[in-house]
Amino acid sequence: MRNRVIIENIQPQLQGGRYFIKRIIGERIDISADIFGDGHDAVRASFFYKELDAKKWNEVFMTPEVNDRWTSSFTPQKQGYYEYKIEAWIDHLTNWHNGFLKKYDDGQHMGVELQIGAEWLRKTAAQYAKTKATALTKMAALLEDKKGYEKAVSTVLSPEFHQLVYEFPLKQFPSTSDVTYRVRVGRPKELFSTWYEVFPRSTAQKLGVHGTFKDVERILPRLTEMGFDVLYLPPIHPIGMANRKGKNNSLTAHANDPGSPWAIGSKEGGHKAIHSELGTLDDYKHLIKKAKEHGMEMALDLAFQCAPDHPYIKDHPEWFTWRPDGTIAYAENPPKKYQDIVPINFETEDWDNLWKELRSVILYWVEQGVKIFRVDNPHTKPFAFWEWVLREVHIVDPDVIFLAEAFTRPKVMAALAKLGFTQGYTYYIWRNNKHEMEAYLTELTRTEWREFFRPNFWPNTPDILPYELMGAGANAFVFRLLMAGTLSSNYGLYGPSYEFMENRGNANGKEEYLDSEKYEIRLYDWNHRNRLTDSITRLNHIRQQNPALQDTYNIHFTRTDNDKLMSYIKLTEDRSNIIWCVANFDTAYPQAGYVEVPKHLLGIEGRMVNLKVVDLLTGDTYHWFNEWNYVELNPAKWPIHIFKVEIR
Amino acid sequence: MRNRVIIENIQPQLQGGRYFIKRIIGERIDISADIFGDGHDAVRASFFYKELDAKKWNEVFMTPEVNDRWTSSFTPQKQGYYEYKIEAWIDHLTNWHNGFLKKYDDGQHMGVELQIGAEWLRKTAAQYAKTKATALTKMAALLEDKKGYEKAVSTVLSPEFHQLVYEFPLKQFPSTSDVTYRVRVGRPKELFSTWYEVFPRSTAQKLGVHGTFKDVERILPRLTEMGFDVLYLPPIHPIGMANRKGKNNSLTAHANDPGSPWAIGSKEGGHKAIHSELGTLDDYKHLIKKAKEHGMEMALDLAFQCAPDHPYIKDHPEWFTWRPDGTIAYAENPPKKYQDIVPINFETEDWDNLWKELRSVILYWVEQGVKIFRVDNPHTKPFAFWEWVLREVHIVDPDVIFLAEAFTRPKVMAALAKLGFTQGYTYYIWRNNKHEMEAYLTELTRTEWREFFRPNFWPNTPDILPYELMGAGANAFVFRLLMAGTLSSNYGLYGPSYEFMENRGNANGKEEYLDSEKYEIRLYDWNHRNRLTDSITRLNHIRQQNPALQDTYNIHFTRTDNDKLMSYIKLTEDRSNIIWCVANFDTAYPQAGYVEVPKHLLGIEGRMVNLKVVDLLTGDTYHWFNEWNYVELNPAKWPIHIFKVEIR
């Protein structure tokens, strides 16, 4: 009850420590808090952090800024969970020292003050190990030496004494933050990744032939050359025969229809089995190895749902919902029923075994070498399950990355990210003008979302051909691509459809592909090159060479005088890499205008502007000497400038 | 682990329930929270509240608004502490019913659905007392009657069935908010009070005579007539003789100098004693009684500090700080020392007894009939002490009001209010233009402060003659008065100085009065009337007659076309009382301009404007038919319009 300091509003943190925040190795965490005591005595504060299972805390003295706000920072160098907290106290040694300086300046006699100081120094010494305390006890003796008044006074006034007081705080009745906060530190790929999605069955070389893992290996060099580093395949498990869907999601399948890979499970097996037409487990592991040699990681789809002939249904009928007429409950969104899919009933009495089985599915694939999962519709499974299973997997292997495919309401998406998903799909696909895009990126990078949500921008997915791209030409495809890859450090493409500019909607009024690959096998010419493949290649190589584009939270929107032109700058903390993009939202016509040089952001406040900007797409070089500079963008050539900025 | 609903971001609350929020009897609390489940099943939520020591919770069904935000409200009718929480769950009865309606509309056969519904109804019935459950079991039987298909279907489609499902939620695996939140409900005076501060020793009728409690009784009718309802006297305890301060805070007092009342304690006694020149305890109790008869409550000053001759120092030397030379540590703000004041050392080993003694001081005066305390410099005593002692007193007597005199940094002021202070002094005294004033009121009423801080606006105090009033004329005094009393429902005056327009600063560069009454006795003509007394009287009567002015959080700033004119509207929730003020910040010259009618706020959106506005100060009546209306304010007459608005 004798502690006198309040510690409040510690940032960053989520809901009072309920959830951990996220960082990657080497990504700095800036800590701040409101810290204040009663009265006018000197307050001091320390920030503490440690790895979760370490015993020793690291202590960093905090610095007071304006208005009782204190700050500190740390940069984690290892993967895993860390915890942090704050301690603060009235420091009577510092307080006495501050008063001493003022009273001395006021011309007062310092005799009694020296004695008081000696007392505080001895109390301080008592708090430290003997070896460390020697300096303090010696100093106390010096202050008390009545014959050495002059020397004692000048000692207290010295910078060395000031340093001593700073280094040896006197902690009496310290207050500690109510809770300990946590951060999960991941590997760099969590924040910087470039995804390519392909249906493996569509990688064969002949029409009507089912592609295999071997076929996928064949396109690896092409993907490497284009600069991708994650290769994501839709589910590779046996596809249900019962109620299988036909082309274009029709209710009756023909004999040759391959079915949707998301209707998982047949007599061939379930979530731990491989669809035999793709190859064997060994083939899959070989693909993982080959991909790795090409600088790519394989991502597996995780869809916790069953086809009606999934083995679980016979083996664990208690995990499903049965209707009074003895039939199983299909997935439904009344009045619609999805008869090729049976949802798992997570409310089952046997939930404990169910959870463990699903955990074993993930760990099985981790064991085969899969470190990245794209999780299908995680928002339709309980939050508590995800929090548990993601943590369980991360304890086994902290390298595992989970991308949440949750296109749903913002609070649900936020919850999944807080519960542990590493990355999330976003609304990027539906943000179509400058105002929307700036507002969305600002929410993702300048609000609480920054602490838990790592966006992954996809301009298309097998489920979504956005209206914006329906019937669109190459200009729009190039534009949406370049924006995704420069706004967000994580981005991905549903590959061949995007590269080859599939733009035909299925005309049912929804944002769906005509002849969706979900229900049929396609044949692609994997040697084809076009404006898109070229744009992708250039973009990805620019991303690889410029660290500023390997972060999402370092974005700053700057002013233009044309509402069709969006200007944004990304830069590394030391400003050694500065990328300035100007994007033209008009995909039909050239747009021109002026962009402002943000002098404060670039660290050239009070100086003349002298910038060399090189467009990394075209190689064109400009010299900017004014605060506002002219740009012109022709969507038929390059709809975005990606300038590398040199400050001269 | 089977619960599927997340409850987040419950409002109002302070720091995750660490502190209680504040309301008065009859003041509605609007509750909201983010509530959502996984998947698409129907979610339901209930808000629960109860008095802290009650056993039974009151349950109110919450309503979903947009974007997963749910709301509810309750209006406490009794003083004391309440707690509240939220519960939410997937409701399978509601979910089935929703699906039933959609499937029926889709033309499906409902046979199996009826059986499923019967099952849910029976599960629901099992959750309720037998008497209540009958309706549900009967309904289950009806749904299962295979011969009555048509009847069963039409029953489920009926509004009565819908109502049944609503009234009898099926709560399976409910989630509960992590913590229980608290609100302290106080008496109406906590939010609406009008204070007058007077030094009792300055109420005598002759120069050089020490005023008494009897003299104070003499001015009661005058204060009642002027409309005050709290009479606050600076400390009434014995004043220390040791190191007593003289006139204008001089270090040496003359024999006749009365000393500062805040230098508490002498051989006459300490914090439970009465300064003998003022009268006896009986006299004080008589004054309390008389004041009550005049509609006024007495407020006592609570200054936990001692004169060097306070009895505590001899009786409890361990409660103070002693220097190595054997002298006591005076209050100081280095390099300055305040030798008439000794601070209490709250870090003493004997803190437990110290706290209990200080509690006994408060409870002693509560026993004598004091229900209001103005607490001197609470920010120089430990936060933990205040949290404990305020709560202890409120348990004994919930009527007690504590006004914190903390003119300090915003976070410290906020902390004191959160810890339990009922009202607080504010920065009103230093807010001098429209922009500052609107920003300040917005912070107090539209941010988290609304939940814990009840402002009390004082245009002056014995410690502060603001620069704005130094050398100022009546215009400025009237203006600062009217603004205080219309912006804030709690306001007060350091009375005679304000009424009689004391405007002489002490010329030391600080905002202090010349010949401060803190160090000398003054003589006032208590029969004097002037422009100020008239303004005060009118203002206070207008406040008494208009409920809209008895609240602070109901303020809305509206637009004007003149930066010198500030427009604000206060209204009761049912709009039965609407007060519209327009204030002219120019105290030298008349200002004119237009003010906008906020149609949405007044509930006349989409209608023609037709307002009758009556200036309650002058009686002048205007009819406004336009969206923008002309106003003109002459500071030499009335610097503020206080319009009562009638919507026609």
Side-chain angles (χ1 to χ4, degrees):
Chain A
M1 301 301 274
R2 285 193 278 176
N3 65 52
R4 291 169 49 194
V5 178
I6 286 182
I7 306 169
E8 279 183 353
N9 189 15
I10 296 174
Q11 294 297 340
Q13 54 93 357
L14 295 172
Q15 294 168 225
R18 166 69 183 82
Y19 301 110
F20 55 77
I21 64 160
K22 296 194 185 102
R23 291 292 187 278
I24 59 160
I25 293 169
E27 193 181 6
R28 203 181 65 192
I29 305 174
D30 290 317
I31 305 289
S32 58
D34 297 339
I35 300 176
F36 50 89
D38 65 270
H40 309 288
D41 291 344
V43 170
R44 287 196 59 181
S46 283
F47 168 68
F48 288 87
Y49 69 94
K50 69 175 186 64
E51 286 172 71
L52 202 57
D53 38 17
K55 276 188 190 141
K56 217 176 150 289
W57 289 91
N58 302 285
E59 177 173 8
V60 188
F61 296 147
M62 296 185 76
T63 310
E65 313 286 347
V66 291
N67 217 353
D68 294 318
R69 195 86 187 144
W70 292 62
T71 59
S72 184
S73 72
F74 85 110
T75 305
Q77 302 296 351
K78 279 178 65 181
Q79 249 168 296
Y81 296 89
Y82 288 69
E83 52 184 345
Y84 54 97
K85 63 178 182 181
I86 289 177
E87 202 175 270
W89 61 95
I90 298 289
D91 193 309
H92 283 289
L93 181 61
T94 303
N95 195 51
W96 160 79
H97 187 239
N98 292 348
F100 189 99
L101 302 180
K102 285 177 193 159
K103 288 169 187 174
Y104 175 82
D105 281 346
D106 192 47
Q108 299 179 16
H109 187 270
M110 307 307 293
V112 178
E113 286 299 319
L114 287 170
Q115 287 179 58
I116 295 174
E119 258 179 54
W120 289 128
L121 282 166
R122 265 197 303 271
K123 278 196 180 153
T124 308
Q127 294 193 341
Y128 291 89
K130 230 177 183 175
T131 48
K132 285 195 172 182
T134 318
L136 295 160
T137 46
K138 268 190 190 164
M139 204 54 90
L142 190 147
L143 264 58
E144 278 183 322
D145 179 4
K146 288 189 186 166
K147 283 172 286 179
Y149 177 79
E150 294 301 330
K151 189 182 169 198
V153 168
S154 66
T155 301
V156 175
L157 300 177
S158 70
E160 292 74 22
F161 193 87
H162 191 280
Q163 187 62 22
L164 186 82
V165 167
Y166 179 74
E167 274 174 22
F168 293 93
L170 170 55
K171 298 189 189 178
Q172 295 174 306
F173 322 121
S175 307
T176 309
S177 39
D178 291 346
V179 293
T180 298
Y181 301 94
R182 289 167 302 149
V183 53
R184 183 178 175 278
V185 177
R187 60 180 173 132
K189 206 176 213 81
E190 296 189 359
L191 184 55
F192 176 50
S193 60
T194 312
W195 295 51
Y196 192 90
E197 174 175 5
V198 68
F199 283 76
R201 67 192 183 190
S202 295
T203 55
Q205 292 176 287
K206 266 191 199 160
L207 195 65
V209 175
H210 195 287
T212 66
F213 293 136
K214 289 270 172 252
D215 290 316
V216 175
E217 285 186 18
R218 210 172 14 81
I219 64 167
L220 290 174
R222 185 178 195 273
L223 297 176
T224 305
E225 185 200 314
M226 289 171 76
F228 292 99
D229 57 23
V230 179
L231 178 55
Y232 153 49
L233 311 183
I236 59 173
H237 315 301
I239 297 171
M241 297 301 300
N243 304 337
R244 178 178 280 193
K245 292 284 182 77
K247 281 189 185 183
N248 283 307
N249 203 15
S250 62
L251 284 181
T252 46
H254 293 277
N256 287 344
D257 283 341
S260 161
W262 283 276
I264 295 171
S266 73
K267 61 182 180 195
E268 265 192 29
H271 284 76
K272 291 179 189 167
I274 283 180
H275 187 68
S276 56
E277 289 175 285
L278 289 170
T280 64
L281 177 61
D282 280 341
D283 292 342
Y284 183 56
K285 288 166 80 170
H286 193 266
L287 170 59
I288 293 174
K289 195 179 141 232
K290 278 286 160 197
K292 201 169 189 179
E293 288 169 19
H294 284 82
M296 259 178 291
E297 288 189 47
M298 297 300 297
L300 188 77
D301 196 291
L302 211 60
F304 282 143
Q305 59 190 18
C306 299
D309 39 346
H310 192 294
Y312 281 161
I313 293 170
K314 265 200 188 129
D315 300 346
H316 296 283
E318 67 279 10
W319 293 352
F320 301 87
T321 303
W322 298 88
R323 290 153 46 95
D325 61 354
T327 60
I328 200 162
Y330 297 111
E332 59 175 274
N333 184 12
K336 281 198 219 156
K337 261 188 189 139
Y338 304 96
Q339 297 188 309
D340 61 334
I341 303 284
V342 176
I344 294 168
N345 174 21
F346 281 83
E347 288 180 357
T348 170
E349 296 287 335
D350 194 40
W351 63 272
D352 192 28
N353 287 319
L354 168 66
W355 285 25
K356 284 178 185 152
E357 167 65 16
L358 298 181
R359 176 182 61 185
S360 83
V361 168
I362 305 177
L363 290 177
Y364 172 80
W365 291 109
V366 170
E367 217 168 286
Q368 309 317 317
V370 176
K371 305 282 166 169
I372 304 184
F373 295 89
R374 176 271 196 192
V375 183
D376 191 72
N377 282 327
H379 57 295
T380 61
K381 289 94 196 172
F383 300 114
F385 165 70
W386 290 121
E387 182 167 33
W388 174 80
V389 82
L390 299 184
R391 165 107 196 183
E392 289 281 304
V393 174
H394 275 150
I395 285 169
V396 173
D397 190 339
D399 277 349
V400 179
I401 289 173
F402 293 95
L403 166 63
E405 187 248 1
F407 288 104
T408 180
R409 290 147 16 241
K411 280 162 193 169
V412 176
M413 291 173 68
L416 291 166
K418 289 183 215 167
L419 291 163
F421 278 91
T422 329
Q423 301 181 354
Y425 282 73
T426 68
Y427 303 145
Y428 169 72
I429 200 163
W430 299 300
R431 294 293 177 269
N432 298 320
N433 64 46
K434 175 180 171 175
H435 171 74
E436 285 175 358
M437 196 65 83
E438 289 192 4
Y440 189 48
L441 266 293
T442 301
E443 182 180 12
L444 293 178
T445 63
R446 291 290 181 280
T447 71
E448 194 187 53
W449 284 70
R450 184 266 175 271
E451 308 301 343
F452 59 82
F453 190 79
R454 290 214 194 79
N456 195 326
F457 279 13
W458 290 66
N460 74 330
T461 78
D463 291 310
I464 310 171
L465 170 66
Y467 295 130
E468 195 77 4
L469 293 180
M470 266 184 210
N475 291 3
F477 278 85
V478 171
F479 176 63
R480 300 292 301 178
L481 162 80
L482 294 178
M483 211 163 40
T486 49
L487 288 171
S488 174
S489 47
N490 295 308
Y491 95 98
L493 299 176
Y494 162 38
S497 275
Y498 204 86
E499 280 188 67
F500 306 137
M501 292 178 270
E502 285 273 350
N503 63 3
R504 295 169 306 152
N506 101 348
N508 62 357
K510 296 188 184 158
E511 297 185 300
E512 292 174 0
Y513 280 101
L514 180 68
D515 301 333
S516 167
E517 211 172 342
K518 282 159 68 178
Y519 311 104
E520 59 190 89
I521 298 175
R522 308 288 286 277
L523 179 70
Y524 296 107
D525 176 0
W526 294 104
N527 295 311
H528 185 79
R529 293 288 187 281
N530 62 12
R531 187 174 161 208
L532 255 295
T533 55
D534 183 44
S535 301
I536 293 168
T537 307
R538 294 218 203 171
L539 169 67
N540 288 344
H541 289 185
I542 290 169
R543 282 162 51 90
Q544 284 165 7
Q545 285 152 21
N546 290 278
L549 292 174
Q550 297 167 16
D551 190 350
T552 297
Y553 309 111
N554 60 346
I555 196 166
H556 299 264
F557 290 97
T558 62
R559 295 200 291 174
T560 75
D561 67 346
N562 179 339
D563 243 18
K564 291 283 181 194
L565 298 182
M566 181 171 82
S567 165
Y568 48 105
I569 294 177
K570 284 183 157 189
L571 66 179
T572 55
E573 208 163 295
D574 60 1
R575 298 197 184 97
S576 63
N577 185 234
I578 305 173
I579 299 295
W580 186 339
C581 299
V582 185
N584 173 14
F585 275 86
D586 187 339
T587 54
Y589 298 101
Q591 290 280 343
Y594 285 81
V595 296
E596 187 188 32
V597 175
K599 296 174 79 173
H600 178 72
L601 178 68
L602 300 183
I604 52 172
E605 217 156 19
R607 281 204 279 151
M608 298 292 288
V609 172
N610 184 352
L611 304 180
K612 178 182 167 192
V613 303
V614 181
D615 191 319
L616 298 175
L617 292 167
T618 62
D620 292 344
T621 300
Y622 307 89
H623 290 272
W624 284 354
F625 300 108
N626 297 310
E627 300 221 352
W628 288 84
N629 299 280
Y630 181 78
V631 292
E632 194 181 314
L633 286 154
N634 183 347
K637 293 182 177 165
W638 289 103
I640 297 190
H641 280 307
I642 306 180
F643 290 128
K644 181 167 184 165
V645 178
E646 249 180 65
I647 299 169
R648 325 202 86 183
Chain B
M1 301 301 274
R2 284 193 279 175
N3 65 52
R4 291 170 49 195
V5 178
I6 286 182
I7 306 170
E8 278 182 354
N9 189 15
I10 297 174
Q11 294 296 340
Q13 54 93 354
L14 294 172
Q15 293 168 226
R18 166 67 183 84
Y19 301 109
F20 54 78
I21 64 160
K22 295 194 186 103
R23 290 294 187 276
I24 58 160
I25 292 169
E27 193 180 5
R28 203 181 66 192
I29 305 174
D30 290 318
I31 304 289
S32 58
D34 296 340
I35 300 176
F36 50 89
D38 65 89
H40 309 288
D41 292 342
V43 170
R44 286 197 57 181
S46 282
F47 168 68
F48 289 87
Y49 70 94
K50 70 175 184 65
E51 287 173 69
L52 202 57
D53 38 18
K55 276 186 187 142
K56 218 176 149 288
W57 289 90
N58 301 286
E59 178 173 8
V60 188
F61 296 147
M62 296 185 77
T63 311
E65 313 286 346
V66 292
N67 217 354
D68 294 317
R69 194 87 186 143
W70 292 62
T71 59
S72 184
S73 71
F74 85 111
T75 305
Q77 302 296 351
K78 279 178 64 181
Q79 249 168 296
Y81 296 90
Y82 288 69
E83 52 184 346
Y84 55 97
K85 62 179 183 180
I86 290 177
E87 202 175 271
W89 62 95
I90 298 288
D91 193 309
H92 282 289
L93 181 61
T94 303
N95 195 52
W96 160 80
H97 186 240
N98 292 348
F100 189 99
L101 302 180
K102 285 178 192 158
K103 290 170 187 174
Y104 175 82
D105 281 347
D106 192 47
Q108 300 180 16
H109 187 270
M110 307 307 294
V112 178
E113 286 299 320
L114 286 170
Q115 289 180 58
I116 295 174
E119 259 179 52
W120 289 128
L121 283 166
R122 264 198 302 274
K123 278 197 180 154
T124 307
Q127 295 194 341
Y128 292 88
K130 230 177 185 176
T131 48
K132 285 194 174 182
T134 318
L136 295 158
T137 46
K138 269 190 190 162
M139 203 55 89
L142 190 148
L143 264 58
E144 278 183 323
D145 178 4
K146 287 189 183 165
K147 284 173 287 180
Y149 177 79
E150 295 300 332
K151 192 182 168 198
V153 168
S154 65
T155 300
V156 175
L157 300 176
S158 70
E160 292 75 21
F161 193 88
H162 190 279
Q163 188 62 23
L164 187 82
V165 167
Y166 179 74
E167 274 174 22
F168 294 92
L170 171 54
K171 298 189 188 177
Q172 295 174 305
F173 322 120
S175 306
T176 310
S177 39
D178 291 345
V179 292
T180 299
Y181 300 94
R182 288 168 303 149
V183 53
R184 183 179 173 277
V185 176
R187 59 179 173 132
K189 206 175 214 79
E190 296 189 358
L191 185 55
F192 176 50
S193 60
T194 312
W195 296 50
Y196 192 90
E197 174 175 4
V198 68
F199 283 76
R201 67 191 184 192
S202 294
T203 56
Q205 290 175 288
K206 266 191 198 160
L207 195 66
V209 176
H210 194 288
T212 66
F213 293 137
K214 288 272 173 248
D215 289 317
V216 175
E217 284 186 19
R218 208 169 16 82
I219 64 167
L220 290 175
R222 184 177 195 274
L223 298 176
T224 305
E225 185 199 313
M226 289 171 76
F228 291 99
D229 57 22
V230 178
L231 177 54
Y232 153 48
L233 310 184
I236 59 173
H237 313 303
I239 297 171
M241 296 301 299
N243 304 337
R244 178 177 280 192
K245 292 285 183 75
K247 282 189 184 182
N248 283 308
N249 203 15
S250 61
L251 284 181
T252 46
H254 292 277
N256 287 343
D257 282 342
S260 161
W262 283 276
I264 295 172
S266 72
K267 62 183 178 193
E268 265 191 31
H271 284 77
K272 291 178 190 167
I274 282 180
H275 188 66
S276 57
E277 288 176 284
L278 289 170
T280 65
L281 176 61
D282 280 341
D283 292 341
Y284 183 56
K285 287 165 81 170
H286 193 266
L287 170 59
I288 293 175
K289 197 178 138 232
K290 278 287 161 196
K292 202 170 190 178
E293 288 169 20
H294 282 83
M296 258 178 292
E297 288 189 47
M298 298 299 298
L300 187 78
D301 197 290
L302 211 60
F304 283 144
Q305 59 189 18
C306 300
D309 38 346
H310 192 294
Y312 280 161
I313 293 168
K314 262 200 190 132
D315 299 346
H316 295 283
E318 69 279 11
W319 292 353
F320 300 89
T321 303
W322 299 88
R323 290 153 46 95
D325 61 354
T327 59
I328 199 162
Y330 296 110
E332 57 175 85
N333 184 10
K336 280 197 221 159
K337 262 191 189 132
Y338 304 96
Q339 296 187 308
D340 62 334
I341 303 284
V342 176
I344 294 168
N345 174 21
F346 280 84
E347 288 180 357
T348 171
E349 296 288 333
D350 194 39
W351 64 272
D352 193 27
N353 287 318
L354 168 67
W355 286 25
K356 284 178 186 152
E357 168 64 17
L358 298 180
R359 175 182 62 184
S360 82
V361 167
I362 306 177
L363 291 178
Y364 173 79
W365 291 109
V366 169
E367 218 167 284
Q368 310 316 316
V370 176
K371 304 281 166 168
I372 305 184
F373 295 89
R374 175 270 196 193
V375 183
D376 190 74
N377 283 327
H379 56 295
T380 60
K381 288 94 198 172
F383 300 113
F385 165 70
W386 290 122
E387 183 168 33
W388 174 79
V389 81
L390 300 184
R391 166 107 196 183
E392 289 282 303
V393 173
H394 275 149
I395 285 169
V396 173
D397 189 340
D399 277 348
V400 179
I401 289 173
F402 294 94
L403 166 62
E405 187 249 1
F407 288 104
T408 180
R409 283 130 44 224
K411 281 161 193 169
V412 176
M413 291 173 68
L416 291 167
K418 289 184 216 166
L419 291 164
F421 278 91
T422 330
Q423 300 181 354
Y425 282 73
T426 68
Y427 303 145
Y428 169 71
I429 201 163
W430 298 300
R431 294 293 177 270
N432 297 320
N433 64 45
K434 174 179 171 175
H435 172 74
E436 285 175 358
M437 196 65 82
E438 289 192 4
Y440 189 48
L441 266 292
T442 301
E443 182 179 13
L444 294 178
T445 63
R446 291 291 181 280
T447 70
E448 193 187 55
W449 284 69
R450 183 268 175 271
E451 308 302 342
F452 59 81
F453 190 79
R454 290 215 194 80
N456 195 326
F457 278 13
W458 290 67
N460 73 332
T461 79
D463 291 310
I464 311 171
L465 169 64
Y467 295 130
E468 196 75 5
L469 292 180
M470 266 184 209
N475 292 3
F477 278 86
V478 172
F479 176 63
R480 300 293 301 179
L481 162 80
L482 294 177
M483 210 162 42
T486 50
L487 288 171
S488 174
S489 48
N490 294 307
Y491 96 96
L493 299 176
Y494 162 38
S497 274
Y498 204 88
E499 279 188 68
F500 305 137
M501 292 178 270
E502 285 272 352
N503 63 3
R504 294 169 307 152
N506 102 349
N508 62 358
K510 296 189 185 157
E511 297 185 301
E512 291 174 0
Y513 279 101
L514 181 67
D515 302 334
S516 167
E517 212 172 341
K518 283 159 68 178
Y519 310 105
E520 59 189 270
I521 298 176
R522 307 289 285 275
L523 179 70
Y524 295 107
D525 176 359
W526 294 103
N527 294 312
H528 186 77
R529 293 287 187 279
N530 62 12
R531 187 175 160 205
L532 254 294
T533 55
D534 183 44
S535 302
I536 294 168
T537 307
R538 294 219 203 171
L539 168 67
N540 288 344
H541 289 184
I542 290 169
R543 282 163 50 91
Q544 284 164 7
Q545 285 151 22
N546 290 279
L549 293 174
Q550 297 167 16
D551 190 350
T552 296
Y553 308 111
N554 60 346
I555 197 166
H556 299 264
F557 291 96
T558 62
R559 293 201 292 175
T560 75
D561 67 346
N562 178 340
D563 243 17
K564 291 283 182 193
L565 298 182
M566 180 171 81
S567 165
Y568 47 105
I569 294 178
K570 284 183 159 189
L571 65 180
T572 56
E573 208 162 296
D574 60 1
R575 298 197 183 97
S576 62
N577 185 233
I578 305 173
I579 298 295
W580 186 340
C581 299
V582 185
N584 172 13
F585 274 86
D586 187 339
T587 54
Y589 298 101
Q591 290 281 343
Y594 285 81
V595 296
E596 187 188 30
V597 175
K599 298 174 78 173
H600 179 71
L601 178 67
L602 300 183
I604 54 173
E605 217 157 18
R607 280 204 279 151
M608 299 291 289
V609 172
N610 183 352
L611 305 180
K612 179 182 166 191
V613 304
V614 181
D615 190 320
L616 298 175
L617 292 166
T618 61
D620 293 344
T621 300
Y622 306 89
H623 291 272
W624 285 354
F625 301 107
N626 298 310
E627 301 220 352
W628 288 83
N629 299 280
Y630 181 78
V631 292
E632 194 181 313
L633 285 154
N634 183 346
K637 294 182 177 165
W638 290 103
I640 298 190
H641 280 307
I642 305 180
F643 289 128
K644 182 167 181 164
V645 177
E646 250 179 64
I647 299 169
R648 326 202 87 183

